[in-house]
Amino acid sequence: MITLDNVSKSFGRTVAVDDVSFTVDRGEVVGFLGPNGAGKSTTMRLITNFLEPDAGAVLIDGVDVREDPVAARRRIGYLPENNPLYDDMLVAEYLRFVGELRGVGMGGPGGALDDTVQATGIAEVFYRPIGELSKGYAQRLGLAAAILHRPDFLILDEPTEGLDPNQRQEIRRLIREVGKEHTVILSTHVLPEVEETCRRIIVIHEGKIVADGSTGDLMAQARDTGTKRTIVVEVKGEDVADEVIKLPNVEEVTDESESEGRTRLTLAVGSGPDPRPEIFRLAKAKDWVLWELHEETASLQDLFSQLTR
Ligand code: ADP
């Protein structure tokens, strides 16, 4: 596992990482989320030992990475921000070069190289110059280079940045795949990234950890701390708003619209019991036609905004 133990790092007067502690266990896929400038890249450079902390320590399986930096790096695969690659090299040359640097025996079929090319789906561009790759393929190659030496831990800094939606989807799928065999920490400033890929989210803001929990728990927290729970109901019937507002725990009708003879209401609901069963009974009693009845899912974006306000 990776442990950050009260780690701090400043650049001049900028405190980029401020007394950060967390542990990532083997097999976890963790989203490291925060706005630009929050300290994500710096934290990742500290974990990968490209930077040394001013205070605190980064431990891998309990051993300070400064004690044996080479051994630590051997266990970590790192995809830096902006995925720096050599445009003039062929994909094949680049991967062999990276393999040599890391002392990886590439082997024949089923060897490290073959395995990595299969896992990242880059066989069809294997003999192409890197400069001619699409962004999506370039990112796959970056990921391939990061996992080539079969590290235990993968540190991915904004892995889908600059990709179009289809390419993002592809890379996310790939990360989920890779996450089955590796411990992954991936950073991002956009939420959908972590909601889809990660079971745990750590939120960083101005160098400090402001939230750390399972994606599910943070969603629940977003629901609790969000403005209010919201229920949307759409029915065909008479005096809908007047009747619904009388129900227990319905605090306010925040939006009302009419279309095709149907009334659509957005309700603010208190923290008490869910009024949906009562709405259903009311519709039955009044002989309304119920077209829709659902709770708006709390957005993690709300929580994120709140935490980083
Ligand atoms: P993020 O990855 O979340 O966007 P960074 O870790 O890159 O954030 O940056 C955190 C803060 O540290 C920012 O204010 C940034 O300007 C500053 N910073 C990062 N790297 C350096 C550096 N090498 N020199 C000076 N300031 C830096």
Side-chain angles (χ1 to χ4, degrees), residues 132-166:
E132 288 179 12
L133 299 183
S134 68
K135 273 217 127 199
Y137 270 111
Q139 208 62 9
R140 288 189 204 200
L141 176 57
L143 205 53
I147 63 173
L148 186 61
H149 61 298
R150 298 180 168 164
D152 297 325
F153 307 101
L154 257 184
I155 310 294
L156 311 175
D157 199 349
E158 303 259 3
T160 65
E161 187 62 4
L163 302 182
D164 71 33
N166 286 332

Side-chain angles (χ1 to χ4, degrees), residues 11 14 16 35-42 45:
F11 301 102
T14 308
N36 287 321
K40 302 182 295 296
S41 291
T42 305
R45 289 189 193 122

Side-chain angles (χ1 to χ4, degrees), residues 243-268:
E243 296 293 337
V244 168
I245 192 72
K246 290 184 205 154
L247 294 176
N249 209 27
V250 174
E251 296 188 343
E252 201 185 343
V253 175
T254 57
D255 194 37
E256 182 174 352
S257 63
E258 293 274 341
S259 124
E260 297 172 43
R262 311 203 287 258
T263 305
R264 190 178 176 86
L265 302 174
T266 304
L267 310 172

Side-chain angles (χ1 to χ4, degrees), residues 79-272:
L79 176 61
E81 206 179 5
N82 307 323
N83 184 19
L85 295 169
Y86 297 102
D87 278 357
D88 295 335
M89 276 188 172
L90 303 182
V91 169
E93 288 172 337
Y94 178 66
L95 285 177
R96 290 205 179 97
F97 166 70
V98 170
E100 267 171 40
L101 278 183
R102 304 214 187 113
V104 182
M106 300 295 221
L113 182 61
D114 191 50
D115 226 33
T116 302
V117 168
Q118 296 306 325
T120 52
I122 54 173
E124 60 201 76
V125 297
F126 195 60
Y127 293 107
R128 293 262 287 277
I130 292 172
E132 288 179 12
L133 299 183
S134 68
K135 273 217 127 199
Y137 270 111
Q139 208 62 9
R140 288 189 204 200
L141 176 57
L143 205 53
I147 63 173
L148 186 61
H149 61 298
R150 298 180 168 164
D152 297 325
F153 307 101
L154 257 184
I155 310 294
L156 311 175
D157 199 349
E158 303 259 3
T160 65
E161 187 62 4
L163 302 182
D164 71 33
N166 286 332
Q167 294 167 336
R168 269 172 198 262
Q169 213 50 45
E170 261 308 294
I171 294 294
R172 280 179 201 154
R173 190 192 55 75
L174 209 53
I175 292 170
R176 278 198 296 271
E177 218 35 59
V178 168
K180 288 179 186 163
E181 288 176 22
H182 298 81
T183 303
V184 180
I185 305 178
L186 71 91
S187 79
T188 177
H189 63 278
V190 287
L191 262 170
E193 209 65 33
V194 284
E195 271 183 285
E196 268 183 44
T197 327
C198 309
R199 257 189 282 165
R200 175 175 165 203
I201 298 175
I202 298 174
V203 185
I204 185 167
H205 179 53
E206 293 178 353
K208 286 186 161 57
I209 305 297
V210 292
D212 180 353
S214 75
T215 309
D217 285 351
L218 284 176
M219 295 289 272
Q221 202 182 328
R223 239 184 334 262
D224 293 345
T225 55
T227 41
K228 287 234 157 157
R229 285 173 62 199
T230 304
I231 283 174
V232 174
V233 49
E234 187 172 319
V235 290
K236 188 164 189 168
E238 299 291 316
D239 305 323
V240 178
D242 294 342
E243 296 293 337
V244 168
I245 192 72
K246 290 184 205 154
L247 294 176
N249 209 27
V250 174
E251 296 188 343
E252 201 185 343
V253 175
T254 57
D255 194 37
E256 182 174 352
S257 63
E258 293 274 341
S259 124
E260 297 172 43
R262 311 203 287 258
T263 305
R264 190 178 176 86
L265 302 174
T266 304
L267 310 172
V269 169
S271 53

